[in-house]
């Protein structure tokens, strides 16, 4: 079987690696990939979804799996399906669950799914007025796609007003900031929960802890994710049941029966678990229509069932027959980013702010083969030497019988990597 993976980040590297492990897969191709992914799969320089569908047809690709949200929101699934090609992911319309934070929150509320108190604004004046009057800390979210950086977590009214200004008036996230979702900031424990679904049946995966803030102790700006681990310490069968009955099932059933959207593929629930009396309430902070980055890097290495079999069941609408098997051992992912560094024209603050690229990366060949290295932003120079090409550069994924063991291994291996400006959080997996 020939599989095409769409994407070019660490998550997409992990997806390609997972398919490459399948005895049913002869060839894995990635559009467009990166220099690190090229060690695992054949990278093809396709840019548009039209180029991708032409390629898949011409090369007789049997299965396409989409990593990032952008091609999904642009309608890649609709396009492939219109040409009779097998592809995993939701349609363009169903992708609104991620591509519009505002519409998604309204739908969730209408479906009776727990969400923080929120309001939607398309003008800065009323938004500013709202954050002055609510009397609690808020999170201001750009409506559209912003590479995981569009949620500004605010502690004071001044910060909230500044967030409204940056998103709606300065348009720091471009047109994604034409509307905002302003929601009550909840305090609890975040959990990234993933399911496979064929639009009727829903099969939960294992969950992961993501670390979204740039600095230790959950300080600093929101990023796409600075590290992760799985299993999640809070997730037992009881909590899985609660999340399925209170969120995943009413959501998939509701978007289908009430809004006419058959949601197929991966469902990613960004949840805040809040203890209310004797129960834990899973509030939905965000819905994503794909695997997380860096959650996929710790979840997929734990998947013992062939991902091809699961994808086929999704496509055939017989997911109820599938019971995925997971390795119980811990995986921990530590992301190396392009951090603060001095350039010719002054300081670069580093990811998620402006960062410098082109720094030579040393030490990759010394990483223990028991760990996985997935690449997000790497390239090679004419002599084959590794260079940084992005804000998130690469990650190390370790395995351990305990979280502490996995943590010790990942941090030990990361010490072997060096490049100018290398920055990583020191508290991933530190409970
Ligand atoms: N790790 C967060 C995301 O993938 O959106």
């Amino acid at each position: 079987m020939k599989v095409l993976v769409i994407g070019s980040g660490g998550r997409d590297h992990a997806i390609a690696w997972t398919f490459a492990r399948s005895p049913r897969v002869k060839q894995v191709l990635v559009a467009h990939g990166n220099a690190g992914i090229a060690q695992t799969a054949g990278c093809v320089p396709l840019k548009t979804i039209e180029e991708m569908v032409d390629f898949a047809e011409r090369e007789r690709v049997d299965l396409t799996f989409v990593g990032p949200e952008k091609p999904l929101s642009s309608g890649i699934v609709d396009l492939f399906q219109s040409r009779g090609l097998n592809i995993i992911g939701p349609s363009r319309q169903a992708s609104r669950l991620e591509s519009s934070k505002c519409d998604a929150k309204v739908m969730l509320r209408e479906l009776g799914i727990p969400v923080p108190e929120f309001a939607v604004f398309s003008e800065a004046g009323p938004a500013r007025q709202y954050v002055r009057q609510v009397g609690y800390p808020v999170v201001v979210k750009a409506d559209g796609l912003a590479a995981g950086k569009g949620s500004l977590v605010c502690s004071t009214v001044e910060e909230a007003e500044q967030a409204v200004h940056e998103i709606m008036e300065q348009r720091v996230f471009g047109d994604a900031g034409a509307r905002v979702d302003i929601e009550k900031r909840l305090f609890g424990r975040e959990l990234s929960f993933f399911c496979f679904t064929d639009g009727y049946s829903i099969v939960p995966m294992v969950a992961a802890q993501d670390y979204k803030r740039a600095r230790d102790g959950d300080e600093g700006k929101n990023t796409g994710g600075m590290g992760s681990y799985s299993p999640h310490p809070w997730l037992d069968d009881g909590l899985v049941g609660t999340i399925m009955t209170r969120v995943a099932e009413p959501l998939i059933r509701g978007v289908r029966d009430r809004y006419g959207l058959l949601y197929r593929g991966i469902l990613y629930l960004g949840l805040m678990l809040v203890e209310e009396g004797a129960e834990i309430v899973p509030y939905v902070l965000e819905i994503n229509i794909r695997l997380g980055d860096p959650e996929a890097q710790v979840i997929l290495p734990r998947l013992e069932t062939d991902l091809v079999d699961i994808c086929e069941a999704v496509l055939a609408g017989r997911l109820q027959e599938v019971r995925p098997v997971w390795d119980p051992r811990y995986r921990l992912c530590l992301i190396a980013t392009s951090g603060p560094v001095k350039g010719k024209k002054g300081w670069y603050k580093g990811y998620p702010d402006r960062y410098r690229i082109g720094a030579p990366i040393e030490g990759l060949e010394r990483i223990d083969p028991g760990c996985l290295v997935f690449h997000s932003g790497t390239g090679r120079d004419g002599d084959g030497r590794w260079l940084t090409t992005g804000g998130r550069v690469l990650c190390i994924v370790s395995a351990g019988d305990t979280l502490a063991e996995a943590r010790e291994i990942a941090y030990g291996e990361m010490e072997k990597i060096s490049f100018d400006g290398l920055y990583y959080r020191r508290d991933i997996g530190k409970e």
Side-chain angles (χ1 to χ4, degrees):
M1 167 178 281
K2 209 184 245 191
V3 174
L4 174 64
V5 176
I6 307 296
S8 59
R11 167 198 47 219
D12 314 313
H13 193 173
I15 295 169
W17 174 84
T18 305
F19 279 118
R21 283 201 305 169
S22 165
R24 298 187 55 199
V25 174
K26 284 215 164 56
Q27 190 179 16
V28 184
L29 299 158
V30 181
H32 56 84
N34 62 41
I37 296 178
Q39 298 181 116
T40 308
C43 291
V44 273
L46 307 172
K47 286 202 181 72
T48 65
I49 61 175
E50 289 76 18
E51 285 174 356
M52 291 169 192
V53 75
D54 287 344
F55 174 86
E57 203 168 55
R58 198 172 57 243
E59 295 296 320
R60 298 178 189 278
V61 167
D62 299 289
L63 173 68
T64 299
F65 192 105
V66 188
E69 60 278 15
K70 267 203 182 140
L72 292 168
S73 307
S74 303
I76 190 170
V77 168
D78 313 63
L79 186 59
F80 271 60
Q81 284 174 345
S82 72
R83 306 267 282 263
L85 294 165
N86 289 327
I87 184 163
I88 297 292
S91 66
R92 189 173 66 82
Q93 260 198 311
S95 298
R96 295 252 342 132
L97 284 171
E98 177 164 358
S99 63
S100 172
K101 305 274 174 289
C102 298
D103 292 354
K105 278 280 151 53
V106 171
M107 272 193 217
L108 289 166
R109 186 162 60 190
E110 284 176 0
L111 293 171
I113 293 168
V115 286
E117 279 176 51
F118 75 95
V120 167
F121 297 93
S122 48
E123 285 178 35
R128 220 177 256 120
Q129 189 62 32
Y130 180 77
V131 301
R132 282 186 202 132
Q133 87 194 21
V134 282
Y136 48 68
V138 296
V139 182
V140 184
K141 297 185 172 179
D143 180 49
L145 298 178
K149 300 175 208 162
S151 295
L152 303 188
V153 182
C154 309
S155 301
T156 62
V157 173
E158 292 70 35
E159 282 179 17
E161 288 195 47
Q162 178 64 20
V164 168
H165 173 64
E166 286 176 15
I167 295 176
M168 302 195 84
E169 293 173 333
Q170 288 188 318
R171 293 292 175 101
V172 293
F173 305 117
D175 287 345
R179 286 197 295 166
V180 287
D181 158 29
I182 302 183
E183 54 189 53
K184 183 175 182 180
R185 183 172 167 190
L186 296 182
F187 295 88
R189 176 130 196 186
E190 277 195 56
L191 169 98
S192 302
F193 189 86
F194 298 89
C195 308
F196 297 105
T197 178
D198 59 15
Y200 292 87
S201 299
I202 311 166
V203 172
M205 298 186 211
V206 289
Q209 176 74 55
D210 182 20
Y211 290 78
K212 290 205 172 63
R213 307 289 283 270
R215 308 276 169 244
D216 289 4
D218 285 333
E219 302 282 341
K221 289 193 175 170
N222 259 338
T223 68
M226 298 293 288
S228 59
Y229 69 83
S230 176
H232 192 286
W234 277 30
L235 198 76
D236 56 16
D237 289 347
L239 186 55
V240 172
T242 303
I243 296 169
M244 293 300 285
T245 53
R246 294 202 62 180
V247 183
E249 286 162 7
L251 175 64
I252 294 302
R253 190 175 52 242
V255 295
R256 186 187 68 227
D257 296 346
R258 188 161 173 168
Y259 302 106
L261 301 172
L262 188 72
Y263 187 104
R264 273 194 343 185
I266 309 287
L267 176 67
Y268 164 173
L269 303 172
L271 302 172
M272 181 69 87
L273 305 176
V274 180
E275 285 180 275
E276 291 183 0
E279 63 165 352
I280 295 177
V281 180
Y283 285 94
V284 179
L285 300 183
E286 61 180 30
I287 301 213
N288 295 317
I289 53 177
R290 53 176 171 84
L291 284 168
D293 185 343
E295 292 95 326
Q297 290 92 313
V298 292
I299 286 179
L300 291 176
R302 296 186 56 208
L303 180 60
E304 290 179 348
T305 306
D306 193 327
L307 184 56
V308 172
D309 293 344
I310 299 174
C311 291
E312 283 182 343
V314 168
L315 292 168
R318 50 174 181 76
L319 193 60
Q320 77 281 2
E321 294 169 11
V322 173
R323 290 281 166 276
V325 178
W326 301 94
D327 177 357
R329 284 189 313 153
Y330 280 84
R331 298 296 190 286
L332 186 137
C333 167
L334 191 54
I335 306 255
T337 69
S338 300
V341 69
K342 195 157 186 227
K344 283 191 189 116
K345 295 181 188 161
W347 278 90
Y348 292 83
K349 280 197 202 164
Y351 178 78
D353 288 307
R354 209 166 69 100
Y355 53 82
R356 198 177 71 181
I357 59 170
I361 305 169
E362 307 290 344
L364 272 168
E365 69 295 343
R366 295 176 51 219
I367 299 298
D368 188 303
C371 287
L372 296 163
V373 179
F374 294 126
H375 293 237
S376 309
T378 65
R380 288 191 193 252
D381 68 10
D383 297 322
R385 281 177 307 210
W386 292 102
L387 299 175
T388 63
T389 60
R392 290 194 289 184
V393 176
L394 56 86
C395 70
I396 291 177
V397 180
S398 59
D401 290 332
T402 62
L403 180 57
E405 186 192 356
R407 179 178 148 73
E408 195 181 320
I409 294 170
Y411 276 92
E413 294 304 308
M414 189 58 94
E415 298 240 315
K416 299 177 183 169
I417 301 285
S418 62
F419 57 83
D420 202 15
L422 166 64
Y423 170 81
Y424 52 93
R425 273 182 64 159
R426 306 281 162 171
D427 62 349
I428 306 299
K430 196 171 179 178
E431 286 295 300

